[in-house]
Amino acid sequence: RKNEVNVARALKLLKVALRNVDNRLKDRNFLAGEFSGADIMTGHACFGAMNAGAEIEDYKQLKAYIDRLLERPALKKARTL
């Protein structure tokens, strides 16, 4: 049920999740080192979070990660369909 308390809780949990991804990316380009299914799933969740209004500017590694994902040829092609 949408109300201010639930929205605040959801945003707090979202920030924790985004911070965890950001921390994981501190010493690597992709979650498992090389591009993998984990990046497809996590990338999709990150795009959804951004579309829902999540602020990612404070997460430097996450922002660079999303930019890397957006440059992947298969994703570029998929986005044109």
Side-chain angles (χ1 to χ4, degrees):
R1 202 166 208 179
K2 185 175 180 179
N3 62 48
E4 288 183 37
V5 172
N6 288 339
V7 169
R9 285 180 185 158
L11 287 174
K12 184 177 179 180
L13 289 172
L14 179 59
K15 287 180 181 181
V16 169
L18 294 175
R19 185 174 50 249
N20 286 337
V21 173
D22 189 68
N23 287 336
R24 176 72 177 171
L25 294 165
K26 284 191 181 194
D27 60 350
R28 62 193 78 202
N29 286 330
F30 297 103
L31 294 171
E34 297 292 323
F35 181 77
S36 70
D39 298 299
I40 294 169
M41 293 184 296
T42 303
H44 180 73
C46 290
F47 297 144
M50 288 172 39
N51 288 337
E55 300 282 334
I56 65 161
E57 296 305 317
D58 291 340
Y59 306 105
K60 303 284 187 241
Q61 287 80 16
L62 179 62
K63 184 162 179 0
Y65 172 68
I66 290 169
D67 291 342
R68 280 191 297 279
L69 293 177
L70 289 170
E71 288 301 313
R72 296 194 55 85
L75 181 56
K76 283 183 174 183
K77 182 177 180 180
R79 291 182 69 162
T80 66
L81 300 177

